[in-house]
Amino acid sequence: YTSRYISPDIGAYFIAIDGRWGSGKTTFIKQFQLMLCGEGFYAQNEVVEMHIRRNILQTDEVVYYHAKNDDLYADPIIPFANCVLKAFFRNTGIYRRVSKIVWDTYQGMVNASNAGADAIIGKDELDQMITELKSQIFKSVQNNSKKKTVVIIDELDKCKPMFVVKLLDVIKTLFNIRGIVYIFTFDIQQLSSSIKAVYGDLYDAKGYLERFFDYSSSLPIGDAFHYFQLLSKTYEFNDDAMDYYSVCKPFNLTLREMIGVCSSFYLLNKYKLKDYPKTGKLTYFFLLLLKIRNHPNMLDRNHILSEMNDMIKNELYDNPQIAEHLEVFWNAVKYNNPIRNVNFHFIDDDNNNNVLPMRYRFDEPIYEGSLSYTIFPMDYRFDIGEIRVLDYLFGNIDEYYTSLPMSKKHVMVDRGVIITFGRWYMNNQKDMEPIQWIVLDKDDKINRALLISKYIIDFKPYNVDFIDISWKECSLRQWLNNGFIKKAFDYSERENIVETLIPNEGDSGSDTIDKVFLISVQEVDKYLHDANARKGYCTEYALTQLKSILDSRGIDVEKHYDFCYWWLRTSGRDKGFATYIRSDGDISLSGDKVSSDSIGVRPVLWLNLN
């Protein structure tokens, strides 16, 4: 009907296709565009196929305009007219001439209010220009054997409100031309909000749209389960598709949201959950659904918890140990327990489903076994133990953190505790992740904590050149307090790193004032008493750096390095050498050449807890 509709007695024909964001409107309209041109369509029977083929349009008779791509323009006349006039006028000279007429006419309308009485006198002339413009475009539509021109306007609801209103006005005023069918795709709720943003909340936006469009239709809802099955094959969990769909169904996701949750789960499943039983994976899958939907009020929360509780009881309670595992999680959510009180058994996937002593927690990164770090990737700069589970899952972490009393924020920052602060490369050179720090000391009087990175984060020489040098002049100190600190911490974080007087004994040189530094031999004796506590374990990124250095020297890089050397700031047997910790945790007091680049770095800093 779109291709056949022609009425010389009225203007353009306006069609609206309504659908939620993510329901597949763009995919549908692009398939529809192909069908109008006789390509890539499926007909239910021969009669329908013959009907389509009798009414095939040429490619240049169907124009696709993606509105969202152009809403940075203050005035939609420029991008919209450029798109449609190129389709109407193949001849460059005619295209330029008509484009000028369009612009002059539009400018005449816009500036009329500033022309005083002349605007009233000149209205007839302006109306004549609009009539002539429409006549030229209509003739172009009818020429070149064109049956009909179809203009598709996609994603109008995602544009800025003023752009939306202006574009509708431009089309209705200047491009309401016989022989053109306009098809708009949008979410009517969102488009109504845009119109109200311009005309006010009391404006009848839906009534305005109903008067604008000659025909409106809602995009039919697709077969969600069939689509989910297709995604489960793509993302490699099709053996259990029905179980995952039963978790997904209560959320009433759009097709795009389904893609989001399935693609996220694919990565999670492939790299983090390989050895988890299905019940553990389903729990993660549920958390992903919560993240994507992020229900804003308690009614939604209770509804989903009720749905999921029924699903758990009816389908997943076959094994008592698995039931115990899930019970901990559901009680934590149901009773909104503080995160610091929530622990989960990790269940092995062998025949006995033995509960292992290893446990995983909300408030630790995934490589330590967290349940939610990957689901809710955020910067764990502070301890979040006081935040309650339900608030954490459904709310904004920053809002709840800032609302806590300061006494509760740092109540768990104590000697030996691991906290996260700042970001650095952990697994690769592309993605920066939270840095883990061990609390070596805490000064309760002025409320600050001494931190050392849990892992060797990088490999750098103590000094670039092999010369006699002290901590004060070395290149590593410069890197820590310039390159590293600026890249690893944002402005507010750098403000909370305390500038500290660093005592330097013996040949280490005079005292310095640093924000980031290395631990000394004396401080190692004070804070890291036994060899095991001193062993330096590398991040994946740091280990890659080390192996690259060794490979360049022809040293076997296939060797597995459990522990590596890391620098201390104290000088070694002379000022050309610096002390370090060996792989077995012992201190090398004689040290190594300051230019050695195969010794790691574990930064140290004082953090202001206020």
Side-chain angles (χ1 to χ4, degrees):
Y1 292 112
T2 298
S3 60
R4 294 179 68 183
Y5 183 86
I6 295 176
S7 175
D9 301 323
I10 61 173
Y13 193 67
F14 294 88
I15 297 173
I17 298 176
D18 173 36
R20 286 171 58 194
W21 282 3
S23 60
K25 296 187 297 298
T26 296
T27 299
F28 166 78
I29 203 65
K30 287 188 174 180
Q31 289 295 115
F32 184 71
Q33 181 181 1
L34 289 174
M35 188 201 74
L36 289 176
C37 299
E39 303 174 20
F41 68 89
Y42 168 78
Q44 297 95 316
N45 53 58
E46 291 183 3
V47 175
V48 174
E49 183 173 358
M50 287 176 62
H51 172 82
I52 293 172
R53 294 200 180 281
R54 275 200 305 268
N55 294 281
I56 288 174
L57 299 177
Q58 300 302 311
T59 304
D60 63 346
E61 295 173 329
V62 184
V63 181
Y64 178 82
Y65 177 65
H66 193 276
K68 177 58 183 169
N69 286 349
D70 291 324
D71 79 334
L72 286 176
Y73 282 90
D75 215 316
I77 187 68
I78 298 171
F80 179 75
N82 174 266
C83 178
V84 296
L85 292 180
K86 279 184 176 177
F88 295 154
F89 302 102
R90 298 176 185 175
N91 182 285
T92 305
I94 298 175
Y95 162 71
R96 289 181 177 276
R97 181 168 56 82
V98 175
S99 296
K100 187 176 187 311
I101 295 173
V102 169
W103 180 251
D104 290 344
T105 305
Y106 179 72
Q107 286 298 102
M109 295 168 64
V110 171
N111 296 327
S113 59
N114 298 323
D118 291 339
I120 300 174
I121 298 169
K123 183 179 184 302
D124 292 340
E125 182 182 345
L126 192 58
D127 289 344
Q128 182 62 30
M129 288 177 66
I130 295 172
T131 301
E132 289 178 4
L133 171 64
K134 289 184 176 182
S135 176
Q136 287 205 42
I137 296 177
F138 175 70
K139 288 177 183 177
S140 171
V141 171
Q142 299 304 306
N143 292 338
N144 302 317
S145 301
K146 289 188 177 183
K147 303 171 187 174
K148 170 70 66 179
T149 297
V150 177
V151 178
I152 296 168
I153 299 173
D154 194 16
E155 296 202 324
L156 184 63
D157 53 334
K158 293 183 180 178
C159 299
K160 292 194 286 288
M162 189 56 71
F163 186 92
V164 170
V165 172
K166 284 186 175 182
L167 181 60
L168 291 175
D169 287 344
V170 162
I171 294 172
K172 203 69 173 178
T173 305
L174 296 182
F175 292 92
N176 185 353
I177 298 163
R178 289 176 294 162
I180 302 178
V181 174
Y182 289 99
I183 304 176
F184 292 77
T185 68
F186 50 72
D187 180 338
I188 194 168
Q189 297 290 344
Q190 298 295 333
L191 196 64
S192 298
S193 296
S194 294
I195 293 169
K196 286 183 177 182
V198 176
Y199 293 117
D201 290 337
L202 298 179
Y203 190 77
D204 183 9
K206 286 190 177 180
Y208 169 85
L209 292 172
E210 287 171 0
R211 290 191 297 273
F212 187 93
F213 293 105
D214 301 299
Y215 174 77
S216 299
S217 178
S218 295
L219 188 69
I221 298 172
D223 184 340
F225 177 60
H226 178 67
Y227 189 66
F228 190 86
Q229 281 184 309
L230 295 175
L231 291 176
S232 70
K233 291 177 182 178
T234 302
Y235 295 113
E236 300 178 7
F237 58 94
N238 51 303
D239 291 343
D240 302 310
M242 192 65 215
D243 291 329
Y244 287 101
Y245 184 70
S246 66
V247 179
C248 186
K249 188 177 179 180
F251 287 82
N252 191 27
L253 299 182
T254 65
L255 304 183
R256 182 179 298 145
E257 287 170 338
M258 280 189 186
I259 295 173
V261 72
C262 289
S263 61
S264 297
F265 184 72
Y266 167 75
L267 295 173
L268 190 63
N269 195 28
K270 184 173 182 179
Y271 295 109
K272 301 294 183 184
L273 307 179
K274 288 183 290 188
D275 300 323
Y276 280 43
K278 186 167 73 173
T279 48
K281 293 180 179 182
L282 283 169
T283 304
Y284 268 96
F285 190 70
F286 173 60
L287 285 174
L288 275 172
L289 288 162
L290 288 181
K291 175 188 176 185
I292 286 175
R293 181 45 54 89
N294 196 21
H295 289 269
N297 56 60
M298 281 302 299
L299 182 64
D300 288 329
R301 302 176 193 182
N302 290 335
H303 168 72
I304 290 179
L305 292 175
S306 173
E307 292 275 359
M308 292 303 301
N309 193 47
D310 292 342
M311 186 273 293
I312 293 290
K313 285 182 178 178
N314 295 336
E315 300 183 29
L316 301 178
Y317 264 22
D318 298 333
N319 186 298
Q321 290 177 326
I322 294 176
E324 178 191 356
H325 162 81
L326 292 172
E327 196 70 49
V328 177
F329 170 71
W330 288 116
N331 284 336
V333 175
K334 183 177 180 181
Y335 298 111
N336 203 14
N337 295 331
I339 287 175
R340 60 183 169 80
N341 295 341
V342 182
N343 290 284
F344 301 88
H345 286 294
F346 175 91
I347 303 171
D348 194 10
D349 201 21
D350 60 16
N351 294 331
N352 299 319
N353 277 319
N354 294 323
V355 178
L356 301 179
M358 172 184 175
R359 297 162 74 83
Y360 47 93
R361 298 160 51 97
F362 266 97
D363 54 342
E364 293 177 358
I366 188 67
Y367 40 82
E368 292 294 322
S370 160
L371 183 64
S372 62
Y373 179 76
T374 301
I375 308 299
F376 295 86
M378 60 182 66
D379 195 343
Y380 277 64
R381 300 174 188 171
F382 304 97
D383 180 82
I384 59 170
E386 291 298 316
I387 300 169
R388 296 188 172 271
V389 172
L390 203 57
D391 297 333
Y392 175 59
L393 291 177
F394 290 95
N396 184 313
I397 186 72
D398 293 328
E399 292 176 8
Y400 290 102
Y401 176 78
T402 53
S403 67
L404 290 174
M406 180 53 65
S407 59
K408 289 188 176 182
K409 287 183 183 179
H410 59 76
V411 68
M412 294 185 68
V413 177
D414 207 348
R415 294 172 183 83
V417 169
I418 296 172
I419 66 172
T420 52
F421 179 67
R423 303 174 75 83
W424 196 250
Y425 306 105
M426 295 293 160
N427 294 311
N428 56 60
Q429 200 168 356
K430 295 180 180 178
D431 305 312
M432 296 180 74
E433 300 177 39
I435 304 170
Q436 292 189 79
W437 305 82
I438 301 171
V439 179
L440 294 178
D441 199 2
K442 185 180 179 183
D443 189 335
D444 292 315
K445 290 182 180 179
I446 55 176
N447 216 13
R448 66 177 187 173
L450 179 65
L451 313 180
I452 185 171
S453 65
K454 182 178 179 181
Y455 301 108
I456 294 170
I457 63 164
D458 217 322
F459 282 85
K460 299 279 182 183
Y462 188 90
N463 192 66
V464 174
D465 299 318
F466 178 40
I467 57 174
D468 287 352
I469 199 162
S470 67
W471 165 250
K472 184 175 182 178
E473 292 85 22
C474 74
S475 61
L476 185 52
R477 176 176 175 251
Q478 299 302 317
W479 178 75
L480 288 171
N481 287 279
N482 287 284
F484 170 74
I485 194 173
K486 290 177 181 177
K487 195 166 188 177
F489 309 102
D490 63 27
Y491 176 79
S492 62
E493 290 170 329
R494 293 198 295 274
E495 287 294 295
N496 280 303
I497 300 174
V498 181
E499 203 166 51
T500 310
L501 179 66
I502 307 298
N504 292 295
E505 64 269 10
D507 290 333
S508 300
S510 57
D511 296 346
T512 57
I513 296 177
D514 298 327
K515 282 203 166 191
V516 188
F517 50 97
L518 300 180
I519 197 170
S520 70
V521 170
Q522 290 183 1
E523 290 161 348
V524 166
D525 289 335
K526 180 179 179 180
Y527 298 119
L528 301 173
H529 305 296
D530 62 85
N532 285 329
R534 297 193 288 262
K535 289 180 179 179
Y537 192 80
C538 294
T539 62
E540 285 296 322
Y541 164 74
L543 193 57
T544 301
Q545 300 294 94
L546 175 63
K547 289 186 175 182
S548 176
I549 293 167
L550 297 180
D551 183 45
S552 66
R553 297 175 185 165
I555 300 174
D556 179 19
V557 296
E558 297 301 322
K559 178 183 175 183
H560 179 69
Y561 292 86
D562 288 321
F563 301 101
C564 300
Y565 298 172
W566 53 281
W567 289 113
L568 306 177
R569 73 172 183 272
T570 310
S571 294
R573 62 174 177 258
D574 59 47
K575 293 185 70 173
F577 287 72
T579 55
Y580 63 91
I581 302 294
R582 300 179 189 275
S583 57
D584 58 6
D586 287 343
I587 304 173
S588 173
L589 294 174
S590 60
D592 199 350
K593 293 178 180 179
V594 292
S595 57
S596 174
D597 56 2
S598 57
I599 298 180
V601 181
R602 292 180 68 181
V604 181
L605 56 87
W606 279 97
L607 179 65
N608 177 14
L609 299 178
N610 290 323

